[in-house]
Amino acid sequence: MYNKGLFHDWVPKPIQLLLIVLLLIVVMPLGGVYTGNISFMAGGTGALSEDFILANYATTIGMGAAMPLVLRIKLRFKVRDKLTVLFILLGFLSFVNATTLQPAVIVATSLFIGFFKMIVAIELFLPLMMIMGNRGVFYGVFYTFVLTLNQVSNYYAVEVSILYNWHQFFIIISLICFAMAMVCRAFMHDKYFALKVPLYYIDWLSIILFVSTFIFSAYVFSFGKQQDWLNSGKIINAGIGAFINFALLSVRQMTLKRPYLSFKIFKKSNVLHGLFMLFWLGMFLGTTSIQNTFAIGVLGYDQLTNAKLNVLMLPGIILAGIVAVFWFKKEQPLKMYIFSGFSAMVGYAVVMYFSMVLEFSYEGWYLPMFLKGYGMCSLFISVWFYTLDKLEIDDMLAAIGLVLVWRTFLAVGIFSALYSWFLYHFQVAGVGDLAAYMDGMTITPQNVAVYMKTIQLNAMIIAGKKLFGYVILAGFGVLIYILTHHFGRERFRYLRLIRMLGGKAIIAGRRQREHKKLMEEIKDAAGPAI
């Protein structure tokens, strides 16, 4: 009656694994927009690039909104029907993005793409979790796989947009999603995973409040610089809207019998320290905006060459995954692995600080991008593992949406917005400082126009160096924190022996254990889903 797998019994096991990998290759890099395509989309639609940055954030918000619902949706629908319909919807939404010129429509479709993508990803991760068993090894393999896939997909998004246009890439994605829907229909079984559960316990108002909270926040981060921050009534109103929606969301969870979110886990020490480390990881990941300013604005790289820089992170990403697999197999403490990740990020900032000159060559990117790739992958694996460790499953599943949004959206968004603001002001100050050389003795009036570009480029370099300098100082503080923080294992384990006296009690206990195991697997699989 029930089937906990994904495919028909007549499908060979190697083919099943191959199909899962194929589906993951399609769904994991899927998004409403692709970061390399933002400039092409802005030019093609005539809209602001901030509109598409907001759409990129909306994809992450949709993924976080879906996370508390994945268990109930998994138990409610047959896997074949569910994945077939979801891939059709993802293909349709990608086609809408390819044909519309309205940024608001792209933001809305991006939100739903993230929502549906999370549901599909969890379904594909659970069988792989059962195969690998070890949660740390699973994180090591799949963060490496996902991060590698994201860099490659962004590169090809840019290449297709240059050879044809950005619409064509979305159309290709749409056709691939429709093909995956046919694969799901042909090979997946039509049985339920377990006992069918109803959907009417879902609190849709909480979902709306959750999405509204972070969409308002995303608007602030995306349009803050363009609207001049607190000098804009729109930014102030969006900030107030985010605060009010989050307050209403929090109050509503206290009154519900089955809350959409749970805040209990935020009392745990490892969760608080994990969120703290994820915040500083966002500081390093946010330096991508400084890197892009230097690569495109100073060195004059085109979009394809700039996209190749992210591909240079692949050796570091792969090395971090290999180290993680051996590290978790030997059950080594996380402390030094986390320290190595933050050290690599600090090393990346140091190399960039000393390398930002007008004569910087392309070969000079190899070392900093290798360090960045290693640091990003190792910290995604280790910090996420540490944050979710030793938590109550029910509370974790109900709060993981907030943690995912914090890791991927809030932490990076805050620092990206700060960097863009400081870059502008540091550039203005740099031009003012360099203007001292623009007098009749050093630069003649006839040569002012010739040297103006050099002065502007040097002002951009000065601004980037200042920001990287502050990042380095903060990074050394983070390293001191890592060295002084305790990442030790649990000292004592208490086992409770529950004696079942009746047949019904035995069945109930078995169902409870299966339910707990399933929720544990979903919690483990949620990490690489973003």
Side-chain angles (χ1 to χ4, degrees):
M1 182 178 179
Y2 301 124
N3 190 330
K4 298 185 182 300
L6 296 179
F7 302 97
H8 287 292
D9 295 334
W10 53 264
V11 180
K13 298 296 182 182
I15 302 299
Q16 293 186 20
L17 182 60
L18 180 63
L19 290 173
I20 291 175
V21 173
L22 177 63
L23 294 171
L24 283 173
I25 290 175
V26 173
V27 77
M28 289 314 302
L30 199 63
V33 297
Y34 298 85
T35 53
N37 269 359
I38 288 179
S39 60
F40 299 104
M41 297 177 72
T45 61
L48 297 172
S49 60
E50 286 80 4
D51 289 311
F52 303 106
I53 295 174
L54 175 61
N56 189 38
Y57 287 147
T59 302
T60 302
I61 295 169
M63 296 176 70
M67 195 59 232
L69 309 178
V70 291
L71 176 63
R72 187 165 293 275
I73 293 175
K74 180 175 181 60
L75 296 175
R76 175 61 179 82
F77 300 103
K78 297 177 181 178
V79 63
R80 184 180 69 180
D81 299 338
K82 177 170 48 182
L83 292 190
T84 301
V85 171
L86 287 175
F87 270 112
I88 291 174
L89 290 174
L90 289 171
F92 171 75
L93 293 172
S94 296
F95 182 77
V96 170
N97 285 348
T99 55
T100 185
L101 298 178
Q102 299 298 322
V105 175
I106 295 178
V107 172
T109 56
S110 299
L111 179 69
F112 285 103
I113 285 175
F115 190 90
F116 298 144
K117 170 185 172 179
M118 174 61 82
I119 299 173
V120 175
I122 292 297
E123 290 286 347
L124 300 175
F125 281 142
L126 291 180
L128 297 174
M129 269 299 303
M130 297 176 63
I131 294 174
M132 295 186 183
N134 188 306
R135 182 159 63 100
V137 174
F138 174 74
Y139 280 7
V141 172
F142 271 90
Y143 266 120
T144 305
F145 174 76
V146 170
L147 292 175
T148 300
L149 198 60
N150 285 339
Q151 312 313 318
V152 174
S153 63
N154 275 317
Y155 171 78
Y156 281 108
V158 176
E159 187 173 31
V160 172
S161 299
I162 292 175
L163 294 176
Y164 305 100
N165 56 59
W166 63 271
H167 304 275
Q168 297 297 324
F169 186 76
F170 282 106
I171 291 176
I172 293 172
I173 294 299
S174 178
L175 295 176
I176 293 175
C177 287
F178 292 144
M180 292 302 101
M182 291 189 288
V183 169
C184 294
R185 185 67 183 178
F187 293 99
M188 290 185 171
H189 63 74
D190 59 347
K191 299 178 181 179
Y192 287 99
F193 178 83
L195 184 66
K196 183 179 177 181
V197 297
L199 290 179
Y200 55 78
Y201 291 131
I202 296 176
D203 184 55
W204 297 104
L205 179 58
S206 293
I207 298 176
I208 294 174
L209 292 174
F210 179 93
V211 171
S212 300
T213 297
F214 294 109
I215 286 293
F216 278 125
S217 303
Y219 181 86
V220 173
F221 297 148
S222 303
F223 286 88
K225 178 183 175 182
Q226 191 266 342
Q227 295 284 337
D228 197 17
W229 296 100
L230 296 181
N231 292 321
S232 169
K234 292 182 179 179
I235 295 298
I236 294 175
N237 292 335
I240 295 173
F243 177 79
I244 292 175
N245 277 276
F246 186 74
L248 293 175
L249 176 66
S250 303
V251 171
R252 182 163 181 80
Q253 305 317 299
M254 301 176 185
T255 61
L256 292 176
K257 183 178 179 181
R258 299 177 180 87
Y260 170 71
L261 296 175
S262 173
F263 300 96
K264 294 180 181 179
I265 67 166
F266 299 104
K267 299 178 182 179
K268 302 287 186 180
S269 174
N270 63 304
V271 175
L272 294 177
H273 286 284
L275 292 176
F276 181 75
M277 288 185 284
L278 290 173
F279 179 77
W280 295 111
L281 174 59
M283 177 187 71
F284 290 107
L285 296 180
T287 57
T288 301
S289 60
I290 311 174
Q291 174 187 310
N292 290 338
T293 300
F294 175 63
I296 297 175
V298 177
L299 301 180
Y301 290 172
D302 57 22
Q303 291 294 332
L304 186 62
T305 304
N306 188 53
K308 289 180 181 178
L309 297 182
N310 291 327
V311 179
L312 294 180
M313 292 193 294
L314 295 186
I317 292 173
I318 294 171
L319 177 62
I322 294 173
V323 172
V325 170
F326 285 101
W327 201 279
F328 285 106
K329 276 189 174 182
K330 295 184 178 181
E331 299 183 352
Q332 296 295 319
L334 283 174
K335 185 172 187 174
M336 295 313 298
Y337 186 55
I338 295 177
F339 182 82
S340 71
F342 277 111
S343 298
M345 282 299 196
V346 173
Y348 158 76
V350 170
V351 174
M352 288 303 301
Y353 178 86
F354 289 105
S355 299
M356 294 182 72
V357 293
L358 292 175
E359 300 79 16
F360 189 74
S361 64
Y362 188 82
E363 289 75 16
W365 288 104
Y366 293 160
L367 177 59
M369 300 312 292
F370 173 83
L371 293 173
K372 185 179 180 180
Y374 177 87
M376 179 176 66
C377 185
S378 60
L379 291 176
F380 268 52
I381 296 169
S382 56
V383 177
W384 189 254
F385 181 93
Y386 175 73
T387 304
L388 302 186
D389 196 24
K390 301 166 187 172
L391 295 177
E392 293 294 333
I393 308 303
D394 294 331
D395 295 334
M396 183 65 250
L397 192 62
I400 199 170
L402 284 173
V403 181
L404 291 177
V405 171
W406 171 266
R407 183 192 69 178
T408 310
F409 159 56
L410 284 177
V412 178
I414 289 172
F415 282 103
S416 296
L418 287 175
Y419 292 155
S420 64
W421 187 82
F422 279 113
L423 270 174
Y424 172 76
H425 286 276
F426 287 163
Q427 286 178 40
V428 173
V431 170
D433 295 337
L434 293 171
Y437 297 97
M438 296 179 62
D439 54 32
M441 299 297 294
T442 308
I443 301 178
T444 62
Q446 293 79 10
N447 295 328
V448 169
V450 177
Y451 288 98
M452 180 62 73
K453 182 178 180 181
T454 303
I455 290 174
Q456 291 176 338
L457 294 180
N458 278 282
M460 296 172 69
I461 290 176
I462 290 171
K465 278 182 173 287
K466 282 185 178 180
L467 283 176
F468 270 118
Y470 289 127
V471 169
I472 292 168
L473 294 176
F476 281 119
V478 175
L479 292 180
I480 294 173
Y481 160 77
I482 298 297
L483 289 176
T484 56
H485 180 61
H486 176 62
F487 292 91
R489 302 175 183 176
E490 185 180 6
R491 295 182 178 180
F492 304 101
R493 293 183 180 180
Y494 298 95
L495 301 177
R496 293 184 302 170
L497 180 61
I498 302 176
R499 182 173 297 175
M500 300 297 181
L501 299 178
K504 292 183 178 180
I506 294 175
I507 296 174
R510 184 182 304 164
R511 288 184 176 178
Q512 186 178 18
R513 288 191 297 272
E514 291 179 353
H515 180 74
K516 184 176 181 180
K517 182 179 179 182
L518 171 62
M519 296 174 72
E520 179 73 31
E521 291 170 351
I522 291 177
K523 182 189 78 171
D524 294 342
I530 289 190

